[in-house]
Amino acid sequence: MKQHLFVLLIPPLTAMLALRWTEPPTAEPVPAIVAAAEVGDLSQVDRLLSLQSGVNSRDFCQWTPLMKASLNGHEAVVKLLLEKKAQVELSDKGCYTALILALPLLFTPS
């Protein structure tokens, strides 16, 4: 019963968080590696890492490339970032980690 409630609550909460943070509150630019990870552009992420872009770079909400890739289900990008030693324990302004952001994907039909 509790698991059923969890399954019902997580997708709306994730959608709400995504809507809340779609527009930056300031004019701070989003690091290119964070933007590439969000859309799953593996070759761009790899290229940026080779140019010394920080694997743990953060955007205006403190999201890392690993968080963006995890939330959007980009498995190949997640694997690359983990190989490059992305820190899995980092959290954003809301205390969400990459693992927490990936949880809804476990309950989404493929």
Side-chain angles (χ1 to χ4, degrees):
M1 184 67 153
K2 288 182 183 180
Q3 183 182 10
H4 180 67
L5 182 61
F6 179 77
V7 171
L8 292 174
L9 290 176
I10 291 300
L13 288 173
T14 303
M16 180 184 70
L17 291 171
L19 288 174
R20 181 177 171 198
W21 289 325
T22 54
E23 293 298 322
T26 66
E28 294 177 44
V30 174
I33 191 166
V34 175
E38 182 174 19
V39 297
D41 190 340
L42 181 63
S43 61
Q44 179 73 344
V45 171
D46 193 33
R47 185 182 75 76
L48 289 167
L49 288 171
S50 71
L51 295 173
Q52 304 303 314
S53 284
V55 71
N56 295 307
S57 297
R58 291 175 176 264
D59 70 4
F60 55 92
C61 286
Q62 300 299 303
W63 285 51
T64 64
L66 183 61
M67 291 174 188
K68 292 285 190 171
S70 296
L71 176 68
N72 292 294
H74 302 306
E75 188 175 338
V77 175
V78 169
K79 285 181 182 178
L80 175 63
L81 292 167
L82 292 173
E83 288 170 7
K84 300 294 184 175
K85 308 296 184 215
Q87 293 178 275
V88 297
E89 72 280 359
L90 295 178
S91 61
D92 67 2
K93 288 181 178 181
C95 298
Y96 289 89
T97 64
L99 177 61
I100 291 169
L101 294 167
L103 280 175
L105 299 175
L106 293 175
F107 303 104
T108 304
S110 20

